[in-house]
Amino acid sequence: MSKTATAIAHPNIAFIKYWGNRDDALRLPANGSISMNLESLYTRTTVTFSTDLRNNVIKINGKKADNATEFRIKDWLDDLICYLYHKKWLKDAPGNVEIISENSFPTGAGIASSASAFAALTLAVFGALGIEADENVLSYWARHGSGSACRSIPEGFCEWARGSSNEDSTAYSLAPASHWDLVDLIAVISGKHKKVGSSKGHWSADTSPFQEQRVRTAPERIAVCRQAILEKDFSALAEVSEKDMLMMHSVMMTQEPPLFYWEPVTIRVIKAVREWREEGLDCFATIDAGPNVHVICTSESAPAVRERLEKLKGIREILSSGPGGKAHLV
Ligand code: DP6
């Protein structure tokens, strides 16, 4: 007997960043965060459970997953299966699992592939087992795989609530993708795997003297960002997002061991984008745990910003995306 399902999920770019956990094992975030799904990038994952499979198989982008990734996925899946038995949503042992996952974008360079990966995986597992769960449950399980993945479950612009417990820290949609036609121009500076991934970074965020201050003031930035999105106030969104990104990287650079993700070209892009904004172009820069710069623009400014980005030296490629929909079964 085999059961199968395929799901697609988009990565997301955070305007207010998730950095550090109050519980690392549960991926309970130190602060809430806000992001936008990225429509033109995606992870597509097929999950098959079968009693005929002799082993578990996990393939990512055509290759067998490395041991650390395999362990992370297996550990997460064991917890999820236990939960499903406990809820009585699952009655029979599903057998071994085959997971085939493909990304449409470079893995491990700050375009959060773990977000779309765990969002697609969560949906495909529930789909393959024939269990219909609400968005909150899906977001909860995606979060347990990778924190930012909970924001790739709902539609468009999403807020991940800090929550007061394991149960209520999930993401919900603030506005659908059609609400605001922002464009993310991703200046790809390196497609290489980062040396230190975000999971390890979160564990030591508290060693930075600036983390406490960043976390304490996050609710103010969340409120400004939420309102800026709802009112489509680009300048407010630009100011608060750039500031929040700089605060997160200040923490990263000052934690033990320090994480310095920027390359010289990263700084060149940040400074250029700030100048272009002063000249009147709607654009701002935000960066995750990698050197690539996401330049967020209004659709009116996007062609001019792209033209200018193309003239900057050191950018390997520019990817472009509008706001994306929710994770879905195909
Ligand atoms: C810098 O969600 O990748 O992109 O939970 O360990 O998988 P894990 O971390 P992850 O952290 C993302 C951090 C960030 C900021 C953000 O997306 O909010």
Side-chain angles (χ1 to χ4, degrees), residues 53-64:
L53 276 172
R54 296 182 56 193
N55 301 304
N56 294 313
V57 180
I58 305 178
K59 272 196 186 168
I60 301 173
N61 294 331
K63 285 199 208 123
K64 185 182 171 312

Side-chain angles (χ1 to χ4, degrees), residues 235-248:
S235 335
L237 181 67
E239 292 305 321
V240 77
S241 304
E242 252 187 35
K243 183 168 185 179
D244 189 83
M245 175 277 284
L246 292 169
M247 287 177 90
M248 178 183 73

Side-chain angles (χ1 to χ4, degrees), residues 33-52:
S33 50
I34 294 184
S35 62
M36 175 179 100
N37 288 343
L38 299 176
E39 196 266 331
S40 63
L41 313 179
Y42 61 88
T43 298
R44 182 190 176 98
T45 301
T46 300
V47 169
T48 307
F49 288 98
S50 172
T51 42
D52 299 333

Side-chain angles (χ1 to χ4, degrees), residues 119-180:
L121 181 60
T122 304
L123 212 63
V125 168
F126 276 86
L129 296 174
I131 300 167
E132 269 184 45
D134 64 31
E135 207 164 82
N136 203 40
V137 170
L138 296 170
S139 179
Y140 170 93
W141 278 104
R143 183 196 101 211
H144 279 247
S146 171
S148 55
C150 72
R151 297 186 311 234
S152 282
I153 294 284
E155 142 107 1
F157 298 83
C158 301
E159 177 169 348
W160 171 12
R162 176 189 186 274
S164 55
S165 68
N166 180 25
E167 281 68 38
D168 65 0
S169 185
T170 53
Y172 64 97
S173 180
L174 282 173
S178 58
H179 168 70
W180 197 3

Side-chain angles (χ1 to χ4, degrees), residues 14 17-18 27 72 114 146-148 151 198-199 202 248 288-289:
K17 308 289 188 185
Y18 150 52
R27 289 190 156 81
R72 179 170 174 179
S114 64
S146 171
S148 55
R151 297 186 311 234
S198 354
S199 298
H202 289 296
M248 178 183 73
D288 283 342

